[in-house]
Every structure is written in structure tokens, then in C-alpha cells.
Amino acid sequence: MTQLTPLNPPDRSGGGNGARLLDVRGLGVSYRMGRRWLRALREFNLQLDAGQVVGIVGESGSGKSTAALALMHYLSANGRIDGGDLRFLGEDMLAMGAADLRRLWARHIKLVPQNAGAALNPSIKVGRQVAEALKAAEGIEGAKADQQVIASFRAVNLVDPAQVAERYPHELSGGMQQRVAIAMALMCQPDLLILDEPTTGLDVTTEAVILDLLRSLISGQGAGVLYITHNLGVVAQLCQRVVVLYAGEIMEEAPVAQLFARPRHPYTLGLLSSLPKAGQRKAHSRLQTIPGNPPDLRSVGQGCVYVERCPLAIEMCRAQKPPLEEVEPGRLARCFRWQDVDAFSGESPSRPDGSPLGRMASSGDSSPRPDGGGEGGQSGESPPRPDGSPLGRMASSGDSSPRPDGGTEGDILNAEGLTKHFPVPRDLVDLLRGRKPWPIRAVDGVDLRLRQGQTLGLVGESGSGKTTLARIIIGLEARSGGRLELFGADIQGGLRARQQDLLSQVQMVFQNPQNSLNPYRSVRQTLCRPLVKLRGLSAKSAEDQAVQLLEAVNLRADYADRYPDELSGGEKQRVAIARAFASQPSLVICDEPVSALDVSVQSAVLNLLADLQDEHGSACLFISHNLSVVGYLADVIAVMYLGQIVEIASADALFRAPSHPYTEALLAAIPTPDPSQRSQRILLADDLPSAQNLPSGCRFHTRCPRNIGEICGRDAPPWRETGAGQGIRCHIPLDELAGATPPPAPPRQDEEGM
Amino acid sequence: MTFLTNIHRLLRVLLWQPQSAIGTLLVAFFFFLALFGGQLAPYPNANDQSHDARVSPTLDIGSLQLGAHPFGTDRLGRDVYSRVILGANSIFRIAGLGTVISVVLGSALGMAMGYRGDWLDELLGRVIDALLAIPALLLALVMVGIIRNLDFQINSWQAALADEVTLLVIAILYIPVVARVARSAALDIKTREFVAAAEIRGESSAFIIFREILPSAIPALVVEASLRFSYAIFLVASLGFLGFGAPPPSPDWGLMVNENRGGFYRLTPWALEFPALAIALLVIGVNLMSDGIRRAVQKGGA
């Protein structure tokens, strides 16, 4: 096609020749499912100019990835474009042939995929893969191409780029793979860059670095950027305009600051409100939720797609679909009642602050829960708390926590020096040299105590040993050393050696709802088994009890006959939670229970956990990489790094004044869902060192932004108590650590809200 | 998700695709012959030599006439049509039962190995690897040869067992094959979190293996079973042909092919061709069906 020539050199002025970079109107996409077509994307509109960064947010199944692929006119074999208009620099992309499209993709439109590890060819060195892209786009080969590849690797801050180019994808960490993918996309200076959840699989610390990198690269390139994500925080940090997708339709489109300040669609309002806000605690307020589940695309009717979950829905919303109309200059919303969204967010004073985010009514859950320190009103099951204040459970006052040491009455869990070393099999070289390889020290000397009714949050990057620690405590993993006491009794041996009574006292909620329920068991069977096995109920009374458990997790009784594949992710996790609480445990270990769930479902599950825990008086070990979630649920937070606990502090203290440099970095890495707080971050260079080859001295010294010199690399830092049961593992004097805080831009809101 | 709906869905998928539908119908046809062969065959006595020898087939496809001896008679005056129909029974009994035994025992063994994953798994795994290194037919011949040469008292249980030597050989031969498949399925499934949930409930190993892991492994095992069945049919026919299967007067298809090859083929080609055709059709049918089963299982994921 000869019309493509004017694209080269690309017109970066965005409309110099009158044509928009990207102009999409009324685009629809369907997927073939068996014999019918599912309309995954409907009436999609988007205008994008060069230099703009537009975010597309939506939950899983909202059609955001479909939108990304459709905008490239690159759909899977079972997809088709239903109609609409798709223009790139004025050219009709839908009318282009395969060869022209391929030329467009090679040179002008680039996609950074979600999972770079899977997108890179595992059998080709990354340098060559990137060079191939260069050859396809510009026909550059040989030494010149190699130079450009290395330059592009340098641009994405890959350390030692020449050496990275010689490696295979599996030899790179997830963050490095993502950088390679970004380098590949940016190298040809595309006009349009589409980023499909580029940081979703990464740790917060890595995510922060990649986001920072993207921000600087994007501003330098002048390309139009589409950023697709489910993470509102990322959008707030990076984008200028936001498109909110729900069930395949645009709900709202607005400049980022206005969207976050005054959402015009109830769905946007719901999404923003359901995020746990930094500093928000379960004892003060419940999380806001969006009731229900996203609609099944097969049964989308003529009304508004959000009507079933909308607190503002009226008759008209069911009868006809609201149009996407301009509600303010530059703002679009698909809602009949957009004018009432403001008023609605104001009318329910669940929190006394003026933030619009704190105001949406908690309409989701039916089970009542006393707010704001109403601990006294609990039913009899709740154990007596050492002192009245809900936050004081972890209090420093002597009477409530008789430290130091000697088994306290209320101690449910007492671990000392827990270690888990996974042996590494000898390879031939080791065998010949007669040496034994270092074991992987997944958990390396952890002291932990947990009192009745207390919630301990455990945070750290992936690979820090959180899950291994939990598995040791529950008995799924044998420990290599240390002492473990549960309910005052010393625990020896594995799960098989544990008495029935102990088994019923410690239960676990797993990370992946997809895998945590047996697909061949009905919900009833799943719930009855622990009731019969651990509580010794008869089959009959177990069935009754199972229905009660379902009610307790806010599921209707008829869910008992469903199988896991008939449940949504959030529903599965509710059943898994019900199963864990079936034996009325005193300690529940939650391993990332909400990380696989969508934002709108996550908050309801967190509320549920808090309720059940309160009701049963259970203690909880809550593992998460998401600090704001941990901050909401936990009384005490332990921060783990490479198998060690580097800081333990009460949740309040930790968020107010994080002291350990690693904690600071973790907190700073959270992308704040507030465009006005584009925080200056504490960026951690490099990736987590290997647990097989631990750094000498302080394990964090290789990445520590506050390294004070030789001592950090030489001596292991001492554990220094900062209060009862609290402490820090660092060489920097305590008063200096405290004095240096708060960090440059703490990602938390103060009491006045956002 | 229940067993019946699974069967129902499996059948629907099987009959939807033309290839697997043909295969399934072929297998169903032969299975029908195996069940009711005694009633369907015009001469239910397989060794009935009362007919004229070497009669040409009277089957006339054009006018759909069967005639007195549709597939002719062999050199001893036995009706080939009846013998082919009667032969379906033994092949289904030997191959089918042999497969069932090997799948049941092999699955149990493999699941236990995969779930435990300790020194026992390591040991048995090596033994299985060694067994699989020997060609199946060779191993079968050796086993049959040994058992045949043992002297048993007439009417003792050992003698009864020796009569079923082909069936036993198939069962023993395929146990390690199935065990390996079951083991790898168990290795995968045991890492799922519902297994950990069962462990922290204090369930016994047997409960975890059979109630938690097995249901998820059944799709893989069904595919393997159908594959084993097709190999078993082939093996039964091969052993019969080599003279290591059923003893002479029995209407074994492989044996019939063997008895009528060489110089006899020129005299009565039909006595060889029809049982050979039966073997071919059944093997093709089972293969098409197991292909369909594999597709159905992979598509449905259950």
C-alpha cells in the first residue's frame, strides 16, 4: 500500500496533517464460543494523540486486552471485528491487508505484553531477538544492529547490557525480561505503544522501577501510549486520561485528575472506594465493596451492563442502555444518573472525612459489623482482649504483653529460630571437586509470636520466604531447625504426628482460588468434610452446619450443590474461607488470599475475613505482598527479606514511620491511587539476591539506599527491640532511623483523606 | 461434573466429529458381536466341520444377499463368517479385561508412587524404566513361553490361569506403562492447593490419593486406557498369529490368519482375508475412538 509512505518519517506533531494518531469509533469485537459469538467489546471509542498517555482500566473479563489487540487489528483466530472504524494516522486499519498490517506492526505500533517471559522465545538469546525486531523494522543488521540493541538495553537501565544480550530469557529475572520487552518495543521509536499490564506479574519494588523507567521513556519519545491495567494506582501514577471498561463497554472516560477526584460513574466510584486506603484499619471502618459479580457476557441484556451491581439503578437503567455522553467538557460517562453520583458519594457518611473515596456506602455485605472500635459489642465467642483499644492488642504496656519471654498464656504461636534449608542436589562439577553446594536458605532464623485474636501481617517480595514460613508453621513443610510452639505445646515432627485437635486449631486459606477447591467436589462435600473429620459431626448435622457456613460467608444456601467451575473467583475464595473456618480454628493462616481477585471482589473478601476472625476470635497470620491490604487487616506487621525478619512493628507505627530502609522502600513502591501524589520513589536497584548465595553481613546491604558503609557488608546487623515484640534488624542507630523518616514521599494519605 | 454428565458429554463430543464417530461406531459394532456372537452366528459351534470345504464366499454386496456361507468355508469345512463373529468375543475379553486390570492396578501403583515421591517411587520408577526398555512383543513371547512350559495339574487353578495366559501377559505388560502415566498425573495434581488442604485436615494417604487426586487424574487415565486397549487388540492378534495365543480350534482372528497363510492362501484366500479385515477394522476403530477421547478430554479439560 503506497499510502503508508507519508508515515515515514512519522509525524509526531499529532494532527499536523489533520489526522489523529489513533481514532477509534464504535469498534466491536466478538469471540466465537462453540456455536455462538460472544460480544466481548462493544461501541469502543478512543482518540489518542502523539505524546498522550491514556490508561484503560478494567477488571478481568472487561475486554481490556481484547481492546488492545483489536486496536492493532490483531485478533486471535476465533475473534472478529463486528464493525466500527479504526484509523491510525487517518488510515483505515480495518481495510488493510496482512502485509500492510505487518509493516505497521514492525515499525509504527508496538505491544509490550503482560508476560514478557512467555513472549520471548526461550531458545534465542535476547540480544538476537531484539536485533531481529530491528531487522524487520528498519532492515538494520550486523554490528550496527548489535550496537543499537546494546544502546536500547542501556536505555532501559539494564546493568551490563552487552552481557545481558548474550543470555537466554530464562537466565533473566522477571523484571529484566520485562525490560528487554520494553527495549524491543521502544527501539524502533514507534508512534503508538500499547502496554498490556506490563508490571502485573512483578513485585511492587520491581514494578516501581519499571514504572519509573516507563515514565521517563514515554516522555522522551513523544509516542502515543495506551496503558492497559487493572491497577488504579498505576493509572494514577502514569496516565493523563483514563478509560474505564466494564463488561466490554466504556463506562467513563476522563482526565486522570478529574476521574480520581470526582468520578461520574457509579462503577468508577465503587472501584475507587473499594481500595483499602493507607492508614485505614479494620477496627475503624469496613472496606467499601461492590456487591455481586460482573455479568456473564452471554446474558448481557438491553439495559445498562452495570445495573445489577449499581446502587443508583432505577427502572430506566434496566429498560435501555445509557449512551456514552459528554458530561463535562472532555469527560464522557455512560450513566443516566451521572449527576447523582456526586450526591450519592456524599450522602452516606461512613467516614467522617471529606474524601469522596471514603463515602460510598458499604452496600455489599449483609452481615453487620460494628464499626469503629466497637469491640465490646461482640458476641460471647470473642476472647477477652487485654485492653479496650482494638489497636492496643499489640500494646507496649507491660501488663498486656508480659515480655521478655517465658510462654505467655495467650501465645498461640511461638517460633524461635525457625529455619528451612532446601538442599541443592550436587551436580557433576561439585561432585568432582568434592564440595557440597550451599542449600537454599528459604527461611533462616525467624522468631515470631502471635497472640490470641491477633492478626500478624507478613510482607516481603516474592522469594523472601513468606510462604515457606507459613507452610512450616502449618506443618506442610518440615523445618530444618528452630523451635515451634503452638498453643503452648512444643511441636515435633510433621503433619502426620499432629493430633486431630491441633489440626482443627490451625487452618489455612490459600492463594489461588482456582486450585484450592477440588473441582470434582460440590461445595457441600467440600464444607462437610472438615466438619465430619475435624469436628466429629454426624453427616446430617454437618450438612446443616455447611449451610450455616455458607451463610456466614454471604453465599446463598443453594450454592451448596454447585461445583467449583460454577463459581466465580471471589465465590471460590469465600468457600475456601468457609472451609478453613469450619473447624473453628484458633489460628488461620492466609497466604495471599486476595491477590488473585479483582479489586471489586477483593474488598468484600477482606471484610469477610475480618468479620469471621472477629466472630471466632481467631488469630491470623496474613501473608501478602500488598502492603495496603496488610495494613488494613493486621495489628502487627512483620517485614521479611531473604528468609529473615527485618522489622516487626505495629501496623500504625509502621505506616506512620517505617524505620527499616527495606520497609521504607516497600512502602514507597506502592503506586498510590492519587494523581496528585506522583511520588518520588525510593527505588531499589537490582533484583532480590539468590537465597542460595546470600550477601554477607546485612542481607539487604546490596540494595540498601541507606547503606552506611563497610559494616553493612561485613557484620550481620543485630536485632534491636524498639518496643514490646517490635524490633529492627539494622546497623543504623535507632534514633537516626526514626529521625530520617518520613521517607521523601510516603505513599499514604494523612487523616484528611486524599 | 458428575460421572454421568461426563459420560454424556464424552459421547456427545465423540459422535460430533466424523472420524471419532466412525471409530466409536466400529468399536460398538464389534462389541455388539462380542456380546451376542453366539446368537448371531449361523453356526454357533466354532469347530463345526460339517460343511463343504473351500466354498467361495456367497456374499453378494450388490443384491445384499448373504447366502449360505457369506465369507466362504475354510479347508476343513468351517464357516468363516461364523468364526469371525465368534472370534470377536475372545479378543474383547482378553484385550478388554487385560486393559481393565492393567489400568486399575497401574493407576493405583502410579498414583501411590507419584503422591509419595520418596525412595520407593525412585526404586519402582527405575524398575518401570527398565521394563519399558524391552520390546513389548518380545516380553510377551518370553512370558507366554515360560508359562506354557510349566506343568500344571489338570483342573488346578494354576492350569486355569495358564489358559488365560494372554490376558495375564497383557495386564502385566501394561501395568508399568499405565503406572508411569498415573504417576506423572499425580505429581502434577498433588501440588494443587486442595491437596494441601486435605493434608492439613489430617486425611490419610489413601483418602488423598483416591478421593482428592484420582478424580482429577481420570481424564488422563481414560485417554491412556483407550490407547492401551488399541495396543492390546493388536498384541492379542499378533500373539494369536505367532501361535502364542489361543490354542488351534478356537476362532481367534490372529490364529485364523496364521492357519490360512502360505500355501493355503492360494486355496482359500477368503479364510485369511476376512479375519484380517476384522482385525484391521477394529484396530482402526479403536484408534479413531481413542483419538476422539483424547480430543474431548483436552477440550473439556475434565
Side-chain angles (χ1 to χ4, degrees):
Chain A
M1 212 190 253
T2 42
Q3 294 104 296
L4 270 179
T5 359
L7 295 180
N8 224 341
D11 175 17
R12 298 212 181 270
S13 60
N17 57 3
R20 274 230 149 84
L21 179 64
L22 190 67
D23 195 352
V24 189
R25 289 180 201 275
L27 192 70
V29 177
S30 292
Y31 287 112
R32 192 190 179 87
M33 301 294 259
R35 272 170 237 183
R36 50 203 293 185
W37 290 89
L38 275 191
R39 302 184 60 201
L41 193 68
R42 301 178 297 280
E43 296 171 47
F44 186 79
N45 295 316
L46 187 76
Q47 280 76 44
L48 180 67
D49 291 323
Q52 266 193 340
V53 185
V54 172
I56 299 183
V57 272
E59 300 178 84
S60 49
S62 62
K64 51 188 192 305
S65 290
T66 299
L69 295 175
L71 293 180
M72 299 180 73
H73 198 187
Y74 181 78
L75 286 171
S76 56
N78 65 336
R80 73 163 184 217
I81 298 215
D82 289 330
D85 197 30
L86 173 57
R87 287 180 186 279
F88 177 73
L89 285 173
E91 303 212 29
D92 186 0
M93 278 179 74
L94 296 183
M96 278 187 198
D100 286 319
L101 279 173
R102 211 166 292 139
R103 207 169 333 144
L104 207 61
W105 296 331
R107 187 69 187 80
H108 302 285
I109 304 181
K110 287 288 180 185
L111 175 79
V112 176
Q114 172 170 1
N115 187 347
L120 294 171
N121 187 331
S123 56
I124 303 179
K125 289 175 181 168
V126 292
R128 238 191 81 209
Q129 287 190 58
V130 178
E132 270 175 17
L134 194 63
K135 185 182 163 197
E138 323 210 343
I140 300 176
E141 283 183 81
K144 191 160 175 242
D146 290 345
Q147 275 175 15
Q148 288 206 16
V149 167
I150 287 171
S152 76
F153 280 3
R154 195 167 289 129
V156 293
N157 295 342
L158 277 168
V159 184
D160 199 355
Q163 193 246 336
V164 169
E166 285 302 306
R167 288 202 240 169
Y168 289 96
H170 71 268
E171 296 173 308
L172 306 176
S173 69
M176 290 165 86
Q177 288 172 347
Q178 200 63 55
R179 280 172 216 235
V180 170
I182 292 171
M184 198 192 284
L186 285 180
M187 190 173 46
C188 314
Q189 306 202 320
D191 302 289
L192 173 61
L193 184 64
I194 300 177
L195 300 145
D196 188 2
E197 307 243 17
T199 61
T200 299
L202 306 175
D203 270 311
V204 260
T205 47
T206 321
E207 177 181 70
V209 177
I210 298 279
L211 285 181
D212 200 63
L213 171 72
L214 281 174
R215 200 181 307 163
S216 64
L217 291 176
I218 287 168
S219 61
Q221 289 251 335
V225 177
L226 267 182
Y227 195 99
I228 290 159
T229 180
H230 69 281
N231 188 334
L232 287 162
V234 171
V235 169
Q237 294 296 313
L238 210 62
C239 302
Q240 294 152 7
R241 251 178 342 125
V242 189
V243 174
V244 180
L245 266 185
Y246 181 77
E249 286 175 23
I250 294 179
M251 294 289 108
E252 181 168 7
E253 183 185 337
V256 69
Q258 295 176 28
L259 183 100
F260 280 84
R262 288 179 76 196
R264 285 298 187 200
H265 194 284
Y267 175 61
T268 320
L269 179 67
L271 272 187
L272 291 172
S273 325
S274 54
L275 294 172
K277 283 149 281 291
Q280 188 184 0
R281 306 292 321 281
K282 64 175 175 188
H284 294 146
S285 60
R286 292 169 65 78
L287 292 172
Q288 314 297 333
T289 63
I290 303 178
N293 292 304
D296 188 342
L297 283 179
R298 281 168 290 192
S299 59
V300 168
Q302 43 180 218
C304 172
V305 286
Y306 188 57
V307 64
E308 295 299 337
R309 306 173 77 184
C310 183
L312 290 175
I314 50 174
E315 275 307 299
M316 186 164 66
C317 303
R318 278 178 202 286
Q320 68 189 97
K321 188 189 285 294
L324 189 64
E325 53 183 338
E326 185 153 35
V327 295
E328 274 166 37
R331 293 196 66 170
L332 302 170
R334 191 189 289 281
C335 184
F336 290 124
R337 301 191 63 192
W338 60 268
Q339 278 149 319
D340 303 327
V341 174
D342 250 357
F344 174 74
S345 63
E347 79 196 10
S348 42
S350 73
R351 264 169 60 125
D353 60 52
S355 139
L357 304 187
R359 277 181 279 167
M360 185 152 153
S362 67
S363 35
D365 298 24
S366 50
S367 71
R369 181 182 139 79
D371 264 3
E375 304 273 318
Q378 287 298 297
S379 55
E381 268 186 285
S382 194
R385 300 257 153 74
D387 60 72
S389 139
L391 301 178
R393 272 177 258 167
M394 157 67 235
S396 43
S397 49
D399 54 38
S400 61
S401 70
R403 283 200 156 242
D405 284 285
T408 321
E409 289 278 319
D411 262 1
I412 276 184
L413 163 71
N414 190 358
E416 275 166 32
L418 276 189
T419 52
K420 177 69 189 179
H421 293 181
F422 292 102
V424 176
R426 278 191 208 206
D427 60 22
L428 193 61
V429 177
D430 287 329
L431 205 66
L432 291 177
R433 292 195 180 171
R435 68 179 176 200
K436 257 184 108 170
W438 287 100
I440 292 170
R441 288 186 269 172
V443 175
D444 206 15
V446 165
D447 300 344
L448 211 58
R449 9 183 36 175
L450 188 55
R451 292 215 311 279
Q452 201 167 25
Q454 201 180 37
T455 302
L456 177 78
L458 193 59
V459 292
E461 291 166 278
S462 55
S464 59
K466 312 184 292 282
T467 298
T468 309
L469 179 59
R471 287 173 66 91
I472 293 173
I473 292 170
I474 203 155
L476 285 169
E477 206 82 71
R479 62 181 187 269
S480 325
R483 224 165 56 78
L484 175 64
E485 228 176 62
L486 288 172
F487 310 103
D490 196 45
I491 304 294
Q492 299 289 343
L495 262 179
R496 297 258 179 252
R498 295 192 179 185
Q499 297 296 312
Q500 178 122 332
D501 186 43
L502 181 59
L503 291 171
S504 68
Q505 289 300 301
V506 190
Q507 283 296 312
M508 186 156 176
V509 178
F510 297 91
Q511 172 172 11
N512 190 345
Q514 234 56 34
N515 273 348
S516 66
L517 301 179
N518 191 328
Y520 292 88
R521 294 262 180 96
S522 68
V523 170
R524 185 194 312 279
Q525 290 169 313
T526 296
L527 293 182
C528 281
R529 185 66 197 173
L531 290 168
V532 171
K533 171 89 185 159
L534 293 175
R535 270 172 66 190
L537 298 183
S538 69
K540 181 77 195 65
S541 51
E543 295 212 354
D544 297 340
Q545 196 68 41
V547 172
Q548 285 183 25
L549 277 172
L550 277 179
E551 275 165 19
V553 295
N554 299 327
L555 289 175
R556 289 195 313 272
D558 63 278
Y559 273 69
D561 293 313
R562 297 201 189 182
Y563 283 84
D565 62 354
E566 299 168 273
L567 305 177
S568 71
E571 287 166 348
K572 277 183 204 152
Q573 202 60 307
R574 281 164 194 267
V575 173
I577 290 170
R579 175 180 62 189
F581 277 93
S583 60
Q584 302 179 325
S586 307
L587 171 60
V588 178
I589 298 178
C590 299
D591 188 4
E592 305 255 12
V594 295
S595 61
L597 302 179
D598 272 317
V599 184
S600 75
V601 189
Q602 175 178 315
S603 52
V605 171
L606 288 175
N607 278 342
L608 176 71
L609 265 176
D611 289 348
L612 282 174
Q613 199 199 338
D614 224 38
E615 220 169 273
H616 291 262
S618 319
C620 179
L621 178 62
F622 190 94
I623 299 172
S624 180
H625 67 279
N626 186 335
L627 261 169
S628 39
V629 166
V630 172
Y632 173 73
L633 274 183
D635 306 310
V636 189
I637 295 179
V639 182
M640 212 168 163
Y641 186 78
L642 282 178
Q644 286 186 334
I645 288 180
V646 295
E647 177 165 9
I648 296 184
S650 77
D652 287 323
L654 192 95
F655 277 90
R656 202 179 323 112
S659 300
H660 195 282
Y662 180 59
T663 317
E664 265 175 31
L666 275 185
L667 276 169
I670 306 174
T672 317
D674 180 356
S676 64
Q677 284 199 11
R678 296 209 169 168
S679 47
Q680 180 193 346
R681 294 150 186 276
I682 303 171
L683 297 176
L684 290 186
D686 307 330
D687 297 301
L688 198 68
S690 148
Q692 194 186 351
N693 191 9
L694 294 166
S696 60
C698 173
R699 290 180 184 181
F700 187 53
H701 86 269
T702 53
R703 301 166 78 196
C704 185
R706 295 170 64 176
N707 194 323
I708 52 169
E710 207 188 321
I711 185 172
C712 292
R714 192 184 60 221
D715 300 333
W719 177 256
R720 286 189 299 209
E721 297 225 345
T722 54
Q726 308 187 31
I728 288 176
R729 195 183 297 279
C730 187
H731 284 298
I732 305 174
L734 286 179
D735 46 343
E736 211 174 293
L737 275 175
T741 51
R748 61 191 162 84
Q749 289 86 54
D750 41 21
E751 255 65 69
E752 313 301 36
M754 315 185 59
Chain B
M1 291 306 283
T2 61
F3 186 67
L4 273 179
T5 54
N6 268 344
I7 294 278
H8 176 231
R9 204 178 61 193
L10 184 65
L11 274 180
R12 211 178 51 201
V13 177
L14 273 184
L15 296 178
W16 200 64
Q17 277 246 336
Q19 300 101 305
S20 54
I22 291 172
T24 310
L25 292 178
L26 271 174
V27 174
F29 169 71
F30 280 109
F31 188 59
F32 182 73
L33 289 188
L35 286 181
F36 304 107
Q39 285 81 7
L40 291 168
Y43 310 102
N45 180 0
N47 206 20
D48 183 352
Q49 306 187 0
S50 61
H51 314 286
D52 293 335
R54 302 199 296 265
V55 177
S56 305
T58 57
L59 178 69
D60 184 352
I61 295 179
S63 60
L64 287 172
Q65 294 285 314
L66 280 178
H69 300 291
F71 295 173
T73 60
D74 64 6
R75 63 179 196 277
L76 298 176
R78 295 178 296 194
D79 181 41
V80 176
Y81 180 66
S82 298
R83 282 174 64 81
V84 168
I85 290 179
L86 291 170
N89 180 284
S90 74
I91 206 157
F92 265 90
R93 191 172 53 84
I94 294 173
L97 266 177
T99 306
V100 167
I101 294 173
S102 67
V103 167
V104 169
L105 295 182
S107 301
L109 180 69
M111 295 255 135
M113 284 167 64
Y115 175 62
R116 292 182 51 139
D118 53 5
W119 61 269
L120 188 77
D121 172 42
E122 194 74 16
L123 186 76
L124 288 175
R126 300 289 168 229
V127 173
I128 286 176
D129 284 345
L131 281 177
L132 291 179
I134 306 171
L137 192 60
L138 193 68
L139 203 60
L141 290 179
V142 170
M143 282 159 71
V144 173
I146 291 173
I147 297 175
R148 278 279 175 77
N149 281 327
L150 298 175
D151 276 326
F152 295 121
Q153 286 183 327
I154 309 230
N155 291 335
S156 70
W157 64 269
Q158 290 101 329
L161 218 56
D163 283 345
E164 299 296 349
V165 62
T166 328
L167 196 160
L168 280 180
V169 163
I170 285 176
I172 294 171
L173 212 54
Y174 288 153
I175 283 177
V177 185
V178 175
R180 207 164 66 153
V181 171
R183 175 177 173 273
S184 66
L187 277 180
D188 170 32
I189 297 163
K190 80 167 178 181
T191 62
R192 298 190 193 160
E193 288 161 344
F194 59 80
V195 176
E199 282 174 350
I200 61 179
R201 217 161 50 220
E203 301 286 7
S204 66
S205 293
F207 182 94
I208 291 176
I209 291 172
F210 292 110
R211 302 291 298 280
E212 299 282 351
I213 297 182
L214 181 65
S216 299
I218 278 180
L221 293 176
V222 166
V223 170
E224 185 58 25
S226 67
L227 209 62
R228 280 307 115 212
F229 184 52
S230 72
Y231 279 107
I233 286 172
F234 208 73
L235 194 63
V236 172
S238 306
L239 285 175
F241 174 76
L242 293 174
F244 285 85
S250 60
D252 183 276
W253 293 346
L255 187 65
M256 287 162 76
V257 171
N258 185 27
E259 283 170 343
N260 293 293
R261 70 196 172 87
F264 300 116
Y265 179 63
R266 239 162 294 148
L267 284 173
T268 54
W270 50 85
L272 181 147
E273 283 161 359
F274 284 104
L277 183 71
I279 294 173
L281 282 180
L282 182 56
V283 169
I284 290 172
V286 172
N287 272 309
L288 287 178
M289 186 178 79
S290 72
D291 251 17
I293 290 176
R294 206 194 58 232
R295 254 196 310 267
V297 164
Q298 279 171 353
K299 197 188 271 175

